[in-house]
Amino acid sequence: IITDAKKRYSAGVLKYRQMGYWQPDYEIKETDTLCLFRITPQDGVDPVEAAAAVAGESSTATWTVVWTDRLTACDSYRAKAYKVEPVPGRPGEYFAWVAYDLILFEEGSIANMTASLIGNVFSFKPLKAARLEDIRIPVAYVKTFKGPPTGLVVERERLDKFGRPLLGATTKPKLGLSGRNYGRVVYEGLKGGLDFMKDDENINSQPFMHWRDRFLYVMDAVNKASAATGEVKGSYLNITAGTMEEMYRRADFAKELGSVVVMVDLVIGWTAIQSMAEWCRANDVIMHMHRAGHGTYTRQKNHGVSFRVIAKWLRLAGCDHLHTGTAVGKLEGDPMTVQGYYNVCRDSYTRTDLQRGLFFDQDWADLKKVMPVASGGIHAGQMHQLIDLFGDDVVLQFGGGTIGHPQGIQAGAVANRVALESMVKARNEGRNILEEGPSILKKAAEGCSPLKAA
Ligand code: CAP
Ligand code: MG
């Protein structure tokens, strides 16, 4: 069947490259959106024709020329593939660069941009596989998005916490706790020294715990822990639900209870994300983004969408915290590539850096910065590696690495806070924490039995 399908592929009346979608001498405009696709053409399909087909199908083309083309300013509306190169060390794969005119996208709409860029093209017959590796969004288009509702600078001011990473933990087990027991976990974690606790991605309003109970018990725990420690604390209340109406209802209740933060999952979709960001902007609430589902786009190296592109879209759409990977925990990730994602979240201007997977300069045009979140199988013993990799502007989140502590949840939180503060102190004294990390932790553990046990 596959062989037949390949045979049946034909560009139609004219090849895409002849229709103007291949322009190797194209002069890039400052206002163009630039995309880098990794394409794997079907056997026998010329890579340049495949690149032109991607440009065509993600902008104006269909499989044949149409009379109505002549009724538009078709030349500027066509996206232009302007460069194709083999991917080093990956036979059969090519990088294809494509430029899109500003007029092709609606202002302030990720849904519209993605309907073109990752719409039909990913199931297009001339390609075995396609991956959107990187994107340059022009300043003119960036300025049509409102970006993070709070941003990391204002978040630190509101929390009154500076000069160190923030600490968090995901309440575990993921599902099954009653409201009262759940609230107890939140209290213990925050009282022990964490800044944030967090709902898991799949906790919404199941029979064992209705969402209102979760919110009530969690906020009771947050208030008690704040009073006991004198610190601003929060717990990301997951407001993900089946409809926008229900999400707004949950967000309003979180705000009414005094929560500083709400959380949504990536799976709610781009328009829902932009709407919730709008709500957070209007209500001065931090928006935590859990990237649940991203692996379906990002994991395969030859097909899908890179996380650096998703992170760029999310910064435009507006979130304050974003799960960005750890490179050292239970989930896959290469340290250099992951650092590239952090740059996308935190830079004012992201420079091209091929080692970190960044193919374009990106001017963020003063859009607020996103606080990245490192999470997934990390623990106090990796504190030196985490601080070395990510610096201070990050939330380090230890779920199992807090709630699995042998002496209890509060002890787990104490161990993480002491490990963090001793490592930040050592770094500020100019010590090489990557080399000395384990001995710094052992020394700190002499005065802290929870850290010793951890
Ligand atoms: C972490 C976590 C997070 C993942 C998400 C989990 O728990 O709650 O959902 O970290 O991954 O369910 O696995 P642990 P990412 O701390 O106990 O591992 O941050 O990469 O999106
Ligand atoms: Mg989780």
Side-chain angles (χ1 to χ4, degrees):
I1 289 165
I2 290 169
T3 315
D4 274 2
K6 270 188 273 172
K7 276 191 196 142
R8 276 205 305 273
Y9 168 68
S10 118
V13 179
L14 278 177
K15 288 196 157 52
Y16 284 90
R17 55 189 301 175
Q18 293 165 323
M19 289 195 264
Y21 296 103
W22 167 244
Q23 293 194 19
D25 49 1
Y26 176 67
E27 244 177 73
I28 295 163
K29 292 189 295 233
E30 247 178 65
T31 51
D32 285 342
T33 294
L34 306 179
C35 286
L36 174 67
F37 291 92
R38 177 193 295 250
I39 55 172
T40 312
Q42 295 285 8
D43 300 339
V45 174
D46 170 26
V48 166
E49 172 62 7
V54 168
E57 196 61 34
S58 62
S59 57
T60 55
T62 186
W63 59 277
T64 183
V65 284
V66 289
W67 292 108
T68 35
D69 269 345
R70 301 287 167 241
L71 300 177
T72 71
C74 50
D75 191 47
S76 60
Y77 292 178
R78 281 187 201 113
K80 284 101 180 159
Y82 59 91
K83 190 158 79 165
V84 176
E85 277 178 3
V87 178
R90 305 274 299 187
E93 295 179 12
Y94 295 83
F95 284 136
W97 283 260
V98 182
Y100 298 82
D101 196 276
L102 191 58
I103 202 169
L104 294 176
F105 307 123
E106 178 177 346
E107 57 274 22
S109 170
I110 303 285
N112 178 253
M113 186 188 350
T114 52
S116 279
L117 302 183
I118 57 168
N120 283 356
V121 279
F122 281 67
S123 42
F124 206 33
K125 215 179 261 174
L127 306 172
K128 276 186 202 154
R131 188 169 201 255
L132 180 51
E133 288 287 349
D134 204 358
I135 185 167
R136 190 279 305 258
I137 304 127
V139 167
Y141 197 28
V142 171
K143 287 304 268 183
T144 67
F145 290 89
K146 290 188 190 160
T150 313
L152 78 76
V153 174
V154 173
E155 171 172 355
R156 281 203 182 275
E157 290 189 344
R158 286 196 196 154
L159 297 176
D160 194 22
K161 296 177 185 191
F162 305 93
R164 66 166 174 85
L166 301 172
L167 279 181
T170 312
T171 301
K172 300 284 173 177
K174 279 171 153 32
L175 300 177
L177 291 172
S178 69
R180 194 182 166 93
N181 289 332
Y182 198 90
R184 182 73 202 197
V185 177
V186 172
Y187 173 76
E188 297 252 339
L190 295 178
K191 169 77 176 15
L194 305 186
D195 304 299
F196 292 118
M197 289 293 293
K198 169 182 171 294
D199 289 343
D200 224 319
E201 68 278 359
N202 52 353
I203 190 110
N204 292 165
S205 195
Q206 283 95 331
F208 51 81
M209 180 170 53
H210 188 260
W211 70 272
R212 289 177 72 94
D213 285 331
R214 172 162 51 94
F215 284 23
L216 286 165
Y217 280 107
V218 164
M219 287 314 296
D220 188 44
V222 168
N223 292 334
K224 284 185 176 143
S226 300
T229 59
E231 291 186 353
V232 181
K233 305 274 186 188
S235 189
Y236 320 149
L237 292 172
N238 188 354
I239 57 167
T240 299
T243 62
M244 283 311 294
E245 291 75 8
E246 188 58 24
M247 285 205 286
Y248 285 132
R249 195 170 298 127
R250 294 180 190 186
D252 286 339
F253 192 53
K255 163 92 179 169
E256 200 183 305
L257 295 177
S259 183
V260 298
V261 54
V262 295
M263 159 180 162
V264 294
D265 291 335
L266 182 62
V267 289
I268 66 173
W270 292 110
T271 300
I273 290 167
Q274 289 197 249
S275 290
M276 283 323 308
E278 196 64 41
W279 182 93
C280 285
R281 256 176 237 118
N283 289 281
D284 296 322
V285 170
I286 293 166
M287 177 148 145
H288 181 94
M289 170 61 59
H290 190 299
R291 57 178 182 168
H294 81 93
T296 51
Y297 297 102
T298 60
R299 185 145 194 194
Q300 298 306 320
K301 297 291 168 263
N302 69 345
H303 190 82
V305 181
S306 152
F307 190 71
R308 72 185 69 85
V309 175
I310 307 253
K312 286 181 181 178
W313 288 339
L314 283 170
R315 183 164 172 184
L316 296 176
C319 62
D320 293 311
H321 288 183
L322 174 59
H323 285 244
T324 317
T326 63
V328 293
K330 71 182 180 186
L331 302 165
E332 67 111 31
D334 155 74
M336 296 290 270
T337 313
V338 171
Q339 278 181 338
Y341 308 155
Y342 279 68
N343 294 354
V344 164
C345 290
R346 303 185 299 197
D347 290 346
S348 304
Y349 189 103
T350 302
R351 301 240 164 248
T352 303
D353 180 347
L354 295 183
Q355 283 190 309
R356 289 184 174 73
L358 301 166
F359 290 85
F360 299 111
D361 280 15
Q362 175 64 53
D363 185 343
W364 287 104
D366 294 323
L367 210 65
K368 288 178 185 142
K369 296 172 183 177
V370 175
M371 181 78 86
V373 176
S375 167
I378 52 175
H379 54 77
Q382 298 154 334
M383 199 58 85
H384 52 300
Q385 294 165 313
L386 292 165
I387 292 178
D388 179 71
L389 270 172
F390 303 132
D392 280 348
D393 283 329
V394 57
V395 188
L396 300 177
Q397 246 162 233
F398 309 84
T402 304
I403 296 152
H405 192 282
Q407 296 168 342
I409 300 163
Q410 204 169 133
V414 169
N416 290 331
R417 183 77 178 254
V418 172
L420 175 82
E421 294 203 355
S422 54
M423 206 56 71
V424 167
K425 183 165 174 285
R427 183 205 55 195
N428 293 349
E429 287 165 0
R431 293 170 66 182
N432 181 341
I433 56 169
L434 208 48
E435 271 178 21
E436 295 181 51
S439 62
I440 293 164
L441 285 175
K442 279 201 183 114
K443 184 92 183 89
E446 282 170 16
C448 176
S449 68
L451 182 55
K452 196 167 193 174

